[in-house]
Amino acid sequence: QVQLVESGGGLVQAGGSLRLSCTASESIFSFNAMGWYRQAPGKQRDLVAAITSGGSINYVDSVKDRFTISRDNAKNTINLQMNSLKPEDTAVYYCSAERGIVFYWGQGTQVTVSS
């Protein structure tokens, strides 16, 4: 069974930075894509950023120029560097890995941005 283990969430003031990491139990190249989703209380889970096995990257408009997704192939890890954080970025962030019609999820990590 695929395992995704996240780390790096926490509490930060608006304008601050956090770095999330997600380590997979398998080679990240075994997935078509990996990414980060977030879910705020009472809202649906939405895509934040994703990277394909071929290296293509996309971001939701609200985080462009503030967040950067990257991967460390040797460590089977993807990262999300989050800068200029805003209170509206507050959510539980989930790592995901997609393989065909199957999605795998991490346990989630809380990111709270205070104003």
Side-chain angles (χ1 to χ4, degrees):
Q1 179 72 341
V2 173
Q3 291 186 329
L4 302 173
V5 179
E6 300 134 336
S7 61
L11 172 65
V12 65
Q13 290 187 331
S17 298
L18 284 174
R19 182 178 177 88
L20 305 183
S21 294
C22 171
T23 300
S25 58
E26 302 180 14
S27 169
I28 59 176
F29 290 108
S30 70
F31 306 109
N32 295 330
M34 295 187 70
W36 293 93
Y37 286 70
R38 66 186 178 187
Q39 187 168 20
K43 296 189 176 181
Q44 66 182 21
R45 189 176 298 186
D46 291 323
L47 177 67
V48 175
I51 181 167
T52 70
S53 57
S56 298
I57 290 173
N58 67 288
Y59 299 98
V60 65
D61 285 347
S62 60
V63 308
K64 284 180 180 177
D65 300 323
R66 298 190 299 123
F67 290 11
T68 302
I69 189 170
S70 63
R71 65 188 181 193
D72 185 332
N73 303 332
K75 296 181 179 179
N76 291 334
T77 296
I78 64 167
N79 304 297
L80 186 68
Q81 178 66 42
M82 305 185 293
N83 299 328
S84 303
L85 282 160
K86 304 176 181 180
E88 51 263 43
D89 295 317
T90 295
V92 178
Y93 284 69
Y94 295 90
C95 176
S96 72
E98 175 258 314
R99 183 182 288 157
I101 62 172
V102 179
F103 273 77
Y104 302 95
W105 298 97
Q107 79 281 4
T109 185
Q110 177 70 45
V111 171
T112 302
V113 185
S114 63
S115 58

